Amino acid sequence: MWKPADGVQPVYVVVDESAEVGPYIGDLSDGVHQLHDALLRATDVAPAIRLSVLGFADQVTTRLPLEQVVAGSQSPWFTARGPASYANAFETLLDQIEPDIDALKAKNLKVLRPVVYLLSGSDPGADTAWASPYKRLVDRSSHRYAPNIVACGFGGAPAELIADIATQPQFGFVMKPDTDVHVAIAQYWRQLAQNVITSGRALISGTPELAPEPPAGFRLAREVV
């Protein structure tokens, strides 16, 4: 079982809510409910995880502030709206991560490096405005809480974009072209819950490691680009 001395793992789940993914918004909401429920059931792990859920489109909405998932906590949901702004997503993470981690440390908790799980279904096209805030977000020389980012793409999300966002080559996955999108999204959330719970149990065992497994129906983005 978790002890305060084990520390906590901050997890940010960042999900594309743009109009482009509108046909799948129900799948995305169902999936985040399943993640929330999985953490509620994993009573040995939930105290080790601090979960935040953000939805991004033209603006970013905090669907769940960084907190422990406990009985009675509200399960997040998503709403399709506007174009996707990856720049706003990374700017928001820059603004939120530092005060979140400082607040955890103020409680005398050991805090592991944050992990961002980003799920996207849209193509920013020629818009490269996201590159600058992204670099500031992940630059460990200037951002003391620079997160690891695990990126997954479905639908219109280009493999090159997902590969560029993932902070390690083995952290970027895209849906295989022969996979049904609704099925792929369901498989993503199933695997995400497993990855988060596995990392929590590794933390409790004293051997914290981030080794995300790809969802069924996905492959490494670097194999495509």
Side-chain angles (χ1 to χ4, degrees):
M1 297 296 291
W2 179 84
K3 306 180 298 296
D6 294 329
V8 292
Q9 174 66 71
V11 173
Y12 293 83
V13 177
V14 181
V15 176
D16 189 343
E17 287 186 308
S18 67
E20 189 172 342
V21 305
Y24 312 110
I25 207 71
D27 302 275
L28 296 171
S29 289
D30 289 346
V32 77
H33 293 325
Q34 290 164 15
L35 170 64
H36 193 267
D37 290 348
L39 283 172
L40 278 177
R41 293 192 302 271
T43 54
D44 60 325
V45 171
I49 303 297
R50 297 295 183 271
L51 177 68
S52 177
V53 178
L54 305 175
F56 75 97
D58 48 347
Q59 300 295 325
V60 179
T61 300
T62 299
R63 299 301 185 186
L64 183 73
L66 192 71
E67 62 182 31
Q68 179 183 339
V69 174
V70 296
S73 62
Q74 185 173 10
S75 184
W77 71 96
F78 302 112
T79 302
R81 54 197 169 85
S85 172
Y86 290 81
N88 283 345
F90 297 133
E91 289 282 6
T92 299
L93 287 167
L94 273 166
D95 290 341
Q96 289 194 200
I97 286 177
E98 185 165 350
D100 281 349
I101 304 307
D102 285 342
L104 291 174
K105 289 189 171 185
K107 298 176 182 178
N108 296 316
L109 290 168
K110 180 175 71 175
V111 184
L112 274 67
R113 185 171 297 279
V115 181
V116 173
Y117 289 94
L118 183 141
L119 178 63
S120 171
S122 60
D123 185 350
D127 181 8
T128 59
W130 62 269
S132 177
Y134 171 83
K135 288 177 182 176
R136 288 186 284 124
L137 176 65
V138 301
D139 184 357
R140 296 191 182 187
S141 67
S142 60
H143 184 201
R144 56 180 173 161
Y145 303 137
N148 292 304
I149 301 180
V150 181
C152 278
F154 68 93
E160 183 176 4
L161 172 74
I162 298 302
D164 287 344
I165 291 174
T167 50
Q168 297 290 336
Q170 67 273 25
F171 290 173
F173 309 103
V174 290
M175 187 186 78
K176 294 177 181 177
D178 58 346
T179 304
D180 177 82
V181 178
H182 297 282
V183 172
I185 292 172
Q187 291 169 332
Y188 169 82
W189 288 104
R190 191 175 301 115
Q191 187 60 55
L192 175 59
Q194 186 58 54
N195 286 340
V196 170
I197 289 170
T198 297
S199 65
R201 288 184 175 143
L203 183 158
I204 293 168
S205 71
T207 56
E209 180 184 12
L210 179 61
E213 292 290 329
F218 286 72
R219 58 179 171 175
L220 285 171
R222 65 178 177 175
E223 294 179 351
V224 182
V225 299

